[in-house]
Amino acid sequence: MSATESSGPTAFKHYAQAQTTFKPPVIANDNAFLGDIFSSQDLSPDAPISCGIYRLEAGTPLEYTYTYHEMKIILDGEFEISDETGQKVHATKGDVFYFPKGAKIKFETKTFGLGFYTGQ
Protein backbone atom coordinates (compact mmCIF):
# COMPACT_ATOMS: atom_id res chain seq x y z
CA MET A 1 0.00 0.00 0.00
CA SER A 2 1.47 3.39 -0.97
CA ALA A 3 1.66 6.47 1.28
CA THR A 4 -1.27 8.00 -0.62
CA GLU A 5 -3.50 4.94 -0.19
CA SER A 6 -5.35 4.22 3.01
CA SER A 7 -6.90 1.17 4.60
CA GLY A 8 -9.75 3.30 5.96
CA PRO A 9 -10.91 6.84 6.62
CA THR A 10 -8.31 9.43 7.53
CA ALA A 11 -9.08 11.36 10.70
CA PHE A 12 -8.94 15.15 10.78
CA LYS A 13 -6.26 16.86 12.87
CA HIS A 14 -6.77 19.46 15.58
CA TYR A 15 -4.30 21.78 17.35
CA ALA A 16 -6.10 23.47 20.25
CA GLN A 17 -5.41 27.17 20.72
CA ALA A 18 -2.67 27.19 18.06
CA GLN A 19 -2.79 30.98 17.75
CA THR A 20 -1.57 31.39 21.32
CA THR A 21 0.26 28.15 22.12
CA PHE A 22 2.17 27.19 18.93
CA LYS A 23 5.72 28.57 19.03
CA PRO A 24 7.26 28.59 15.55
CA PRO A 25 11.06 28.37 15.23
CA VAL A 26 13.23 31.28 14.14
CA ILE A 27 13.76 31.37 10.36
CA ALA A 28 15.75 34.58 9.83
CA ASN A 29 17.66 37.16 11.81
CA ASP A 30 16.50 36.96 15.43
CA ASN A 31 12.99 38.31 14.92
CA ALA A 32 11.27 36.22 12.20
CA PHE A 33 9.54 32.97 13.17
CA LEU A 34 7.66 30.48 10.99
CA GLY A 35 6.51 26.91 11.40
CA ASP A 36 4.06 24.49 9.83
CA ILE A 37 1.31 23.25 12.13
CA PHE A 38 0.01 20.70 9.64
CA SER A 39 1.02 19.43 6.21
CA SER A 40 -0.45 16.91 3.79
CA GLN A 41 3.07 15.96 2.61
CA ASP A 42 2.70 12.31 3.70
CA LEU A 43 -0.76 11.90 2.14
CA SER A 44 -0.23 14.00 -1.01
CA PRO A 45 3.49 14.22 -1.78
CA ASP A 46 2.86 15.42 -5.35
CA ALA A 47 0.75 18.42 -4.28
CA PRO A 48 1.09 18.96 -0.54
CA ILE A 49 -0.64 21.80 1.26
CA SER A 50 0.69 23.17 4.53
CA CYS A 51 -0.47 25.66 7.13
CA GLY A 52 1.14 27.35 10.08
CA ILE A 53 2.02 30.46 12.01
CA TYR A 54 4.29 33.35 10.99
CA ARG A 55 5.44 35.93 13.54
CA LEU A 56 7.64 38.96 12.99
CA GLU A 57 8.87 41.13 15.83
CA ALA A 58 10.29 44.66 15.56
CA GLY A 59 13.75 44.71 14.02
CA THR A 60 15.14 43.52 10.71
CA PRO A 61 12.57 43.30 7.89
CA LEU A 62 12.07 39.90 6.25
CA GLU A 63 12.42 39.77 2.46
CA TYR A 64 11.01 36.54 1.05
CA THR A 65 10.63 35.10 -2.46
CA TYR A 66 7.74 32.65 -2.63
CA THR A 67 8.44 29.28 -4.27
CA TYR A 68 4.76 28.29 -3.82
CA HIS A 69 1.35 29.99 -3.66
CA GLU A 70 0.30 31.21 -0.22
CA MET A 71 -2.75 32.68 1.50
CA LYS A 72 -2.24 34.56 4.77
CA ILE A 73 -4.62 36.12 7.30
CA ILE A 74 -3.33 38.56 9.88
CA LEU A 75 -4.33 37.35 13.34
CA ASP A 76 -2.81 40.06 15.53
CA GLY A 77 -0.45 43.03 15.47
CA GLU A 78 0.51 44.79 12.26
CA PHE A 79 2.78 44.50 9.24
CA GLU A 80 3.94 46.77 6.47
CA ILE A 81 3.84 44.44 3.46
CA SER A 82 5.31 45.48 0.13
CA ASP A 83 6.33 43.86 -3.14
CA GLU A 84 8.56 44.59 -6.10
CA THR A 85 5.66 46.19 -8.03
CA GLY A 86 5.59 49.06 -5.52
CA GLN A 87 2.38 47.91 -3.86
CA LYS A 88 2.46 48.55 -0.08
CA VAL A 89 -0.19 47.76 2.55
CA HIS A 90 -0.41 48.48 6.27
CA ALA A 91 -1.83 45.11 7.33
CA THR A 92 -3.83 44.61 10.52
CA LYS A 93 -5.97 41.95 12.18
CA GLY A 94 -8.44 40.38 9.75
CA ASP A 95 -6.63 41.33 6.52
CA VAL A 96 -6.22 38.48 4.02
CA PHE A 97 -3.47 38.20 1.40
CA TYR A 98 -2.63 36.03 -1.60
CA PHE A 99 1.07 35.81 -2.48
CA PRO A 100 1.58 34.14 -5.89
CA LYS A 101 4.49 31.84 -6.58
CA GLY A 102 7.51 33.97 -7.53
CA ALA A 103 6.37 37.05 -5.58
CA LYS A 104 9.11 38.96 -3.74
CA ILE A 105 7.57 40.25 -0.53
CA LYS A 106 9.00 42.44 2.23
CA PHE A 107 7.51 42.18 5.72
CA GLU A 108 8.20 44.88 8.32
CA THR A 109 6.73 45.85 11.68
CA LYS A 110 7.35 48.49 14.34
CA THR A 111 5.82 46.26 17.03
CA PHE A 112 4.91 42.68 16.02
CA GLY A 113 2.73 40.86 13.55
CA LEU A 114 1.16 37.42 13.69
CA GLY A 115 -0.28 35.61 10.69
CA PHE A 116 -1.78 32.25 9.79
CA TYR A 117 -0.80 30.91 6.38
CA THR A 118 -1.65 28.07 4.07
CA GLY A 119 0.54 27.31 1.10
CA GLN A 120 0.78 24.92 -1.81
Side-chain angles (χ1 to χ4, degrees):
M1 186 172 298
S2 74
T4 58
E5 294 176 7
S6 169
S7 61
T10 302
F12 68 83
K13 295 183 179 184
H14 172 244
Y15 193 117
Q17 301 299 308
Q19 181 176 341
T20 55
T21 63
F22 181 76
K23 304 298 180 204
V26 68
I27 59 162
N29 312 311
D30 61 351
N31 66 322
F33 306 83
L34 182 138
D36 287 351
I37 295 173
F38 295 123
S39 177
S40 68
Q41 179 67 41
D42 293 339
L43 295 174
S44 300
D46 294 336
I49 187 167
S50 300
C51 69
I53 299 289
Y54 169 60
R55 181 180 178 92
L56 184 67
E57 296 175 354
T60 306
L62 178 69
E63 295 186 30
Y64 189 78
T65 301
Y66 281 87
T67 59
Y68 50 90
H69 298 281
E70 182 182 275
M71 307 290 184
K72 187 181 304 290
I73 184 169
I74 309 308
L75 301 174
D76 202 2
E78 61 184 352
F79 294 96
E80 294 294 330
I81 300 176
S82 57
D83 67 14
E84 63 188 343
T85 71
Q87 183 176 8
K88 186 171 186 174
V89 173
H90 179 79
T92 59
K93 184 177 181 176
D95 289 356
V96 176
F97 292 85
Y98 164 59
F99 302 116
K101 183 177 182 178
K104 295 178 182 178
I105 306 296
K106 183 177 182 180
F107 296 90
E108 301 178 81
T109 185
K110 293 180 182 176
T111 56
F112 80 97
L114 183 69
F116 176 82
Y117 65 85
T118 187
Q120 183 177 40

